[in-house]
Amino acid sequence: MPNARASHLSRRGLLAAGSALGLGAALAACGSSDDKGNAGKAAEKSGPWTFTDDRGTKVSLKAAPKNIVAFTGTAAALHDYGVEVKGVFGPTKTKDGKADVQAGDLDISKVKIIGNVYGEFNIEQYAALGPELLITNQWAKNDPWYVPPQSKDKIMKVAPSVLLWAAETTMAKALQRHAELAESLGGDVKGKKAADAKARFEKAAARLRAAAKAKPNLKVLIGSGSQELFYVSVPKMSADTLYFQELGVKFVEPKPDAQGFFEGLSWENAGKYGADIIILDNRTGTLQPESLASKPTWAKLPAVKAGQVIPRVTEPIYSYDKCAPILEEFAKAIESAKKVA
C-alpha cells in the first residue's frame, strides 16, 4: 500500500508517498486529449450514460462524458482500453520531465496536469477544462484519492465523480471494475488486444500460484524506504498483495500502527523480520536500491545480500496489459529464489 512520508499526517496522508511536498501548489502542462495511437480511440456511445461506482453511487449523465479528468494511474488504465482523458492529477511527470511510472503509456504532453504531487490540485485549471466526470481511486470509503482534503468539497461540486477501490478489494476485482468502467465509456475491452492481455494475466496468475506452491517456505516482505524509516506493509490491506496472498504467496505479517496499513521501523531495526524476498516500493519519492545502499542495515538484510529484491508496483495501473507483467516478474523471482532468512 502507499506509505507515509510523515507520521503526524492523517490516514490519507499516511497513504501518500511524497505527501509533504508542494502542498497548495500546482503544476500545469498544456496539451490536447488527442489519442497517442497505440490503444485506439473509444467508440462513440449514444444515449444516456450511467455507472455505479464502488461507493454505491450511481452517476447518470445525458450522454457518455467526453471531458474526463482522472487520477493519473486511472487515466493510464483507461488509456489502455482506448479511453482518453483531458486532465490528470497525481504523479505524472518526474523532475527531469519524463513520464512518472504511474503514467503508464499516457502521452503526458497531451493531457493537462492540474496536480503532480500529493496536495496539488489547481481548481481553476480543473474548472476551465469543463469536466463532465472526475475519476479516481479510494483507499478509504468515500475518500477520493489525490483530491486534497482542504479543497475536496469545492472540487467535488464541479462535476460528478466515480471512485473505484484500490484497497479492500483484490487485483482481480479491481481489474474487472476498471474494465467495466472503460467499456461504459466506449473503451474496447473485448477486442483482440484486450483479450490477449487478459489471457496473459490469467496465465501469469496460474504461474505465480504454481511458484508459490512449489516453494511454500519462502517469506516475502513488502517494503518501502524513506530516509528515516523502513516501512513493512500488511499484505491484506492492498489489492495487489491481497491477491498474491490468495494465490498462495507467504508474506511477512508486521505489527501495524493504528492506521493498520504498515509498521514503520527505524533503520536500526530494519532487520526485525526475516524475509527471503523483498518487494520494494517503486514509486517516485521512495528510496530505491541504489539510494538504500548507504544504509548499513539494508545491506545486511538476507534478501538484499542474496540479490532477491524486486520492484513492487505499489499503485498498479489496473488494466490487464499492465498487471500481467507484475505477476510474471513476481513468479520469476519466486521460482529463482532460495531460502536465505
Side-chain angles (χ1 to χ4, degrees):
M1 45 74 58
N3 69 15
R5 312 307 330 142
S7 61
H8 65 276
L9 298 174
S10 65
R11 180 180 181 183
R12 159 186 283 272
L14 287 168
L15 288 168
S19 59
L21 302 176
L23 296 177
L27 174 66
C30 296
S32 70
S33 58
D34 293 341
D35 181 61
K36 186 178 178 180
N38 63 352
K41 289 190 176 182
E44 293 293 328
K45 302 281 283 188
S46 60
W49 179 85
T50 63
F51 186 83
T52 301
D53 73 1
D54 289 352
R55 295 170 295 186
T57 299
K58 184 177 182 179
V59 182
S60 298
L61 301 173
K62 292 181 179 180
K66 304 296 183 191
N67 291 356
I68 300 171
V69 175
F71 171 65
T72 301
T74 310
L78 292 174
H79 170 83
D80 286 349
Y81 293 112
V83 178
E84 302 301 333
V85 305
K86 271 202 159 185
V88 295
F89 55 95
T92 307
K93 182 187 291 187
T94 59
K95 291 180 179 179
D96 59 5
K98 296 179 180 179
D100 188 274
V101 65
Q102 291 183 248
D105 291 332
L106 282 177
D107 185 340
I108 63 172
S109 70
K110 294 182 177 181
V111 291
K112 186 77 169 180
I113 305 172
I114 62 173
N116 196 57
V117 299
Y118 186 81
E120 287 185 351
F121 195 112
N122 191 305
I123 301 175
E124 289 73 23
Q125 291 178 357
Y126 173 53
L129 291 173
E132 298 171 89
L133 187 68
L134 181 146
I135 306 172
T136 188
N137 295 332
Q138 59 177 5
W139 286 81
K141 185 75 170 181
N142 299 318
D143 191 4
W145 186 229
Y146 265 79
V147 173
Q150 65 271 21
S151 51
K152 170 185 169 182
D153 292 344
K154 187 174 181 180
I155 292 168
M156 300 302 279
K157 288 178 181 177
V158 175
S161 60
V162 164
L163 273 59
L164 298 179
W165 276 119
E168 300 187 32
T169 187
T170 69
M171 176 180 276
K173 292 178 181 176
L175 282 164
Q176 180 181 344
R177 290 294 285 150
H178 282 72
E180 289 171 357
L181 176 59
E183 184 175 30
S184 79
L185 295 168
D188 182 4
V189 303
K190 296 178 180 176
K192 186 179 187 303
K193 179 182 176 182
D196 287 349
K198 187 173 183 180
R200 180 183 175 187
F201 175 83
E202 291 170 347
K203 182 178 179 181
R207 179 181 174 184
L208 180 56
R209 186 189 297 275
K213 184 177 181 180
K215 295 188 176 180
N217 294 324
L218 288 182
K219 275 288 185 75
V220 180
L221 183 146
I222 308 162
S224 183
S226 73
Q227 287 294 345
E228 298 79 21
L229 297 172
F230 183 51
Y231 298 95
V232 182
S233 292
V234 177
K236 70 178 182 179
M237 298 302 289
S238 298
D240 60 333
T241 49
L242 175 57
Y243 183 58
F244 302 155
Q245 207 169 34
E246 290 181 351
L247 292 176
V249 176
K250 302 296 190 303
F251 285 101
V252 167
E253 295 281 357
K255 297 178 180 178
D257 60 15
Q259 303 294 333
F261 282 91
F262 55 80
E263 180 179 0
L265 302 174
S266 65
W267 279 108
E268 290 78 5
N269 296 312
K272 178 179 178 178
Y273 298 106
D276 305 293
I277 299 172
I278 295 174
I279 55 174
L280 186 69
D281 191 344
N282 77 330
R283 290 173 304 165
T284 303
T286 64
L287 298 185
Q288 300 307 303
E290 59 272 19
S291 299
L292 290 170
S294 63
K295 305 285 188 183
T297 49
W298 168 259
K300 293 178 181 178
L301 296 177
V304 177
K305 291 170 67 176
Q308 295 178 176
V309 178
I310 64 169
R312 178 200 174 197
V313 182
T314 304
E315 292 187 60
I317 294 168
Y318 285 114
S319 71
Y320 291 102
D321 182 71
K322 295 298 181 292
C323 286
I326 295 173
L327 271 65
E328 290 169 346
E329 289 301 312
F330 197 13
K332 181 180 178 181
I334 292 176
E335 290 165 351
S336 60
K338 297 178 181 179
K339 184 71 180 172
V340 295

